[in-house]
Amino acid sequence: MKCGATPRTMRTLLVRALSFSAVAALTLNPALTPVLAGDYRAAAPAAADGQMNARFLSLGVGKSLVIDLPRDIKDVLVADPKIANAVVRSAQRAYIIGATVGQTNIVFFDAAGQQIAAYDIAVKRDLNGVRAALRQALPNSDIQIEGVGDGVMLSGSAATPIEAQQAADIATRLVGGAEKVVNSITVRGRDQVMLKVTVAEVSRRLIKQLGIDLTANLNYGTAVVKFANSNPFTANNAPLVPTNAITTSFGSAPSVSATVRAMESAGVVRTLAEPNLTAISGESATFISGGEFPIPTGVTCQTTTSGAIGQCVQTVSFKKFGISLNFTPVVLTEGRISLRVMTEVSEVSTENSLTGGQNGTTIPSIKTRRAETTLEIPSGGSMAMAGLIQDQTKQAINGLPGLASLPVLGTLFRSRDFVNNQTEMMVLVTPYIVRAVAQKDLSRPDDGFTNASDPQADLLGSINRIYGVPGRTEPARNYRGTYGFITD
């Protein structure tokens, strides 16, 4: 202390010393930098090695931030005032206001030209309303939304794919376009759906054919009259050739020959397919079991150097047939499943076949039964697509005009062909919400199968080995708990 200093001078020196200590402490220790409470205030960044590091600030359009600085502000540099602007209201306080979506930076200087603080400003669209709508609509999901340029990005997790899609729909409606929304939501424990489909069909076919062919040779002196009447069967697309024929001749010189052709055919066709397939909720699954058959499409010939036509090769294309299943499941709330199913059963048929070409090649046709629908059912529930009944009757009478119309004798001059086709098809669809099963709990169709030895095959006629003791009965098993399909 200087001698002769007055009390007032001593107080002034003490205040200056305390102010210098406070400024030094704030500059050297960032933790002591003053920060005002509230979401609309941001603290000044700390200095490192004499240079000021820029601090990143995110700001909504039309929103503002309050910046408190450690020293008096003399000058402000705003890179792009169209994106954000800075307003100085006091010596150490400034307001930053977001104008449009974009990025810029703001730097504050003191009276000596030294940099006080620098900020990298990212002005984004205000998403508080969208966040509130997502929290209200999906309270059980943890979904975040952040602005990226002119668009938004959804992140976090959702319980079901439906909730993830609902979040994307809400953001699309409130933001203004699906092209501005990036959906990166992950689904917690995506459900798996197993679809059990049963396709059952019974086809009955009845064919009756009856015809009489007359052949006569009549001699009148030197004149010879020959008479022949043959009536085809035209009701069936692929006519049968009856092998049941009775031929009778009358007379020696003027001879008359009559052939009775009769055929009755009855057949039943049973088709059963039970494809099972498992897919993740929201994804499609396809199952195909069948084959392909070739169809001639043309002839390709090679040309020699002299211009002559060389070797020709038949070109073919392949058409598929068999059993196919395609379905897309979406697990909804409360265990309900929205399901789109398309199943098809096709087979090669001789009906409507095409015969042509130089070699008389016969191209078969494909008989197809297809069902496609979209439905919503609970897990374990079944849906039946029935009523697919077809009843087709064909009848044709061919004969000699005039004589075929006679009441009784007309039977000798005509043939009758009767065809009746009846088909009934049913498709049963049952979806299950399933989870993975251990390998030890699975069994294969070839479990326990072993080829028979030569003595067993030659002497006993066995094609596979037989295990166990004849007459032995397996003990009864008492199953406890759930077994079969593993369902939730």
Side-chain angles (χ1 to χ4, degrees):
M1 182 181 295
K2 294 183 180 181
C3 297
T6 62
R8 182 177 182 180
T9 304
M10 294 175 61
R11 287 194 300 270
T12 303
L13 293 175
L14 181 59
V15 171
R16 290 179 178 178
L18 292 176
S19 300
F20 178 77
S21 300
V23 172
L26 293 174
T27 304
L28 297 177
N29 191 357
L32 299 178
T33 304
V35 180
L36 298 180
D39 295 337
Y40 299 95
R41 303 177 184 271
D49 298 334
Q51 297 180 356
M52 194 66 64
N53 295 329
R55 179 179 176 182
F56 178 79
L57 292 179
S58 179
L59 188 65
V61 177
K63 300 294 183 178
S64 62
L65 287 173
V66 179
I67 304 298
D68 291 331
L69 300 173
R71 300 195 302 272
D72 293 347
I73 305 172
K74 181 62 178 179
D75 193 11
V76 180
L77 173 61
V78 180
D80 192 350
K82 295 181 181 179
I83 297 177
N85 197 6
V87 179
V88 178
R89 304 301 297 177
S90 63
Q92 297 182 1
R93 174 171 292 183
Y95 302 154
I96 299 179
I97 304 173
T100 59
V101 176
Q103 293 185 356
T104 185
N105 64 335
I106 299 176
V107 183
F108 296 93
F109 301 93
D110 58 8
Q114 298 294 327
Q115 178 178 322
I116 304 175
Y119 295 93
D120 288 335
I121 308 297
V123 181
K124 307 175 183 178
R125 61 171 68 241
D126 186 14
L127 301 176
N128 291 331
V130 183
R131 291 190 183 95
L134 290 176
R135 286 194 299 267
Q136 183 178 1
L138 306 171
N140 297 326
S141 299
D142 183 16
I143 299 175
Q144 293 83 33
I145 181 170
E146 297 293 338
V148 180
D150 195 27
V152 297
M153 183 178 68
L154 296 174
S155 60
S157 61
T160 62
I162 297 300
E163 293 186 357
Q165 185 61 38
Q166 289 179 353
D169 294 341
I170 293 174
T172 300
R173 293 291 301 272
L174 298 181
V175 171
E179 67 280 358
K180 296 183 180 180
V181 178
V182 178
N183 190 356
S184 299
I185 301 175
T186 59
V187 179
R188 300 190 299 267
R190 300 183 66 179
D191 295 320
Q192 297 185 86
V193 178
M194 186 192 72
L195 185 67
K196 181 180 180 181
V197 178
T198 301
V199 181
E201 179 186 15
V202 175
S203 177
R204 303 177 184 88
R205 184 179 180 89
L206 178 63
I207 300 177
K208 294 181 180 180
Q209 295 177 342
L210 177 63
I212 299 178
D213 298 337
L214 295 178
T215 303
N217 292 325
L218 303 178
N219 298 327
Y220 296 97
T222 60
V224 178
V225 178
K226 293 183 178 181
F227 175 79
N229 179 29
S230 178
N231 302 312
F233 301 107
T234 60
N236 189 19
N237 293 328
L240 297 177
V241 180
T243 59
N244 304 321
I246 300 176
T247 303
T248 303
S249 300
F250 304 94
S252 55
S255 62
V256 177
S257 176
T259 302
V260 179
R261 295 182 300 161
M263 171 65 72
E264 181 175 352
S265 174
V268 176
V269 178
R270 176 177 179 265
T271 303
L272 179 64
E274 292 184 326
N276 295 341
L277 206 58
T278 303
I280 297 176
S281 175
E283 302 293 337
S284 299
T286 303
F287 169 84
I288 298 177
S289 176
E292 297 180 350
F293 66 93
I295 294 179
T297 57
V299 178
T300 302
C301 299
Q302 298 178 354
T303 305
T304 61
T305 56
S306 60
I309 299 177
Q311 184 180 4
C312 296
V313 179
Q314 178 75 52
T315 59
V316 297
S317 64
F318 291 87
K319 296 296 183 181
K320 297 181 179 180
F321 67 94
I323 302 170
S324 66
L325 170 65
N326 181 279
F327 79 104
T328 304
V330 177
V331 179
L332 307 176
T333 57
E334 299 179 358
R336 299 190 64 83
I337 302 173
S338 176
L339 193 64
R340 181 174 182 178
V341 184
M342 194 282 288
T343 181
E344 178 179 314
V345 178
S346 59
E347 61 181 341
V348 180
S349 175
T350 57
E351 297 181 5
N352 302 322
S353 60
L354 178 62
T355 302
Q358 298 179 355
N359 300 327
T361 304
T362 301
I363 303 175
S365 63
I366 299 179
K367 184 184 296 184
T368 303
R369 284 82 71 197
R370 182 184 297 110
E372 183 175 358
T373 184
T374 301
L375 61 150
E376 180 180 334
I377 54 179
S379 175
S382 297
M383 187 275 301
M385 290 181 283
L388 305 176
I389 301 174
Q390 180 181 4
D391 192 348
Q392 185 181 51
T393 301
K394 295 182 180 179
Q395 188 170 209
I397 296 179
N398 299 281
L400 186 66
L403 296 179
S405 302
L406 296 176
V408 177
L409 297 178
T411 306
L412 302 175
F413 303 94
R414 65 173 179 258
S415 65
R416 175 177 177 266
D417 193 5
F418 175 81
V419 178
N420 184 20
N421 292 327
Q422 296 179 349
T423 302
E424 182 176 359
M425 179 180 176
M426 174 180 289
V427 180
L428 300 177
V429 179
T430 305
Y432 297 91
I433 299 178
V434 298
R435 62 178 184 269
V437 62
Q439 176 65 29
K440 61 182 181 62
D441 296 332
L442 298 176
S443 60
R444 305 196 315 264
D446 60 340
D447 287 345
F449 176 83
T450 304
N451 292 326
S453 61
D454 291 340
Q456 288 178 333
D458 296 336
L459 301 178
L460 302 179
S462 300
I463 58 177
N464 64 287
R465 295 185 182 181
I466 301 175
Y467 293 92
V469 179
R472 176 182 174 183
T473 58
E474 294 292 334
R477 298 180 181 179
N478 185 15
Y479 292 98
R480 295 183 179 180
T482 60
Y483 57 92
F485 292 103
I486 301 177
T487 60
D488 289 338

